[in-house]
């Protein structure tokens, strides 16, 4: 059973950097050919893909967040992280990590429970 669990601060001040970690169990972040994603849901809106990192360590970002997002991984801990810089209240959302289905990128088979992040002074 693949499990993902997000962790990080629930409250971040404007202009600071949001940092979240997704711990993975039951699979490896290096398993071919999966993609490991960060996705968020803004209040009252649909899901927004932030970016992902694949089994090979290649990273991809949403064009709208590319300038502020950074995704990396620690294979020794079997986890991957998201950093989002210069946050504003518009970044307040529930943040999820997820793994795609075999051979179907952007179709997610496993999700974390999500973590609420509020940007406020």
């Amino acid at each position: 059973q693949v499990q993902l669990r997000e962790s990080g601060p629930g409250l971040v001040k404007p202009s600071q950097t949001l940092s979240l970690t997704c711990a993975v169990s039951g699979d490896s972040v290096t398993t071919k050919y999966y993609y490991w994603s960060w996705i968020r849901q803004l209040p009252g809106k649909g899901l927004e893909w932030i970016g992902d990192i694949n089994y090979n360590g290649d990273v991809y970002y949403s064009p709208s967040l590319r300038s502020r997002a950074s995704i990396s991984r620690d294979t020794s801990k079997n986890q991957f992280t998201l950093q989002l810089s210069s946050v504003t209240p518009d970044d307040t959302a529930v943040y999820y990590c997820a793994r795609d289905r075999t051979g179907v990128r952007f179709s997610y088979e496993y999700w974390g429970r999500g973590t609420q992040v509020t940007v406020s002074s």
Side-chain angles (χ1 to χ4, degrees):
Q1 179 86 16
V2 179
Q3 293 186 327
L4 297 90
R5 176 168 291 185
E6 306 90 349
S7 62
L11 180 64
V12 183
K13 293 183 177 181
S15 81
Q16 291 187 340
T17 295
L18 177 164
S19 295
L20 297 174
T21 296
C22 182
V24 178
S25 60
D27 195 0
S28 168
V29 296
T30 61
T31 301
K32 294 181 178 180
Y33 293 94
Y34 292 121
Y35 284 71
W36 303 85
S37 296
W38 285 102
I39 298 159
R40 69 182 183 179
Q41 184 161 29
L42 303 172
K45 298 187 178 180
L47 297 171
E48 178 182 27
W49 177 74
I50 299 170
D52 56 24
I53 184 166
N54 70 8
Y55 61 96
N56 200 40
D58 302 313
V59 186
Y60 304 87
Y61 299 105
S62 164
S64 65
L65 293 169
R66 182 191 309 274
S67 63
R68 297 194 294 127
S70 177
I71 296 174
S72 60
R73 67 180 183 177
D74 185 334
T75 57
S76 67
K77 296 181 179 179
N78 204 34
Q79 62 187 33
F80 60 108
T81 63
L82 168 69
Q83 291 192 314
L84 188 65
S85 64
S86 304
V87 296
T88 73
D90 290 341
D91 293 308
T92 294
V94 178
Y95 286 76
Y96 297 92
C97 56
R99 196 210 78 182
D100 66 355
R101 300 181 185 278
T102 303
V104 188
R105 193 177 173 197
F106 303 120
S107 176
Y108 302 103
E109 183 172 11
Y110 296 104
W111 292 78
R113 296 178 64 180
T115 186
Q116 172 70 48
V117 177
T118 300
V119 180
S120 175
S121 55

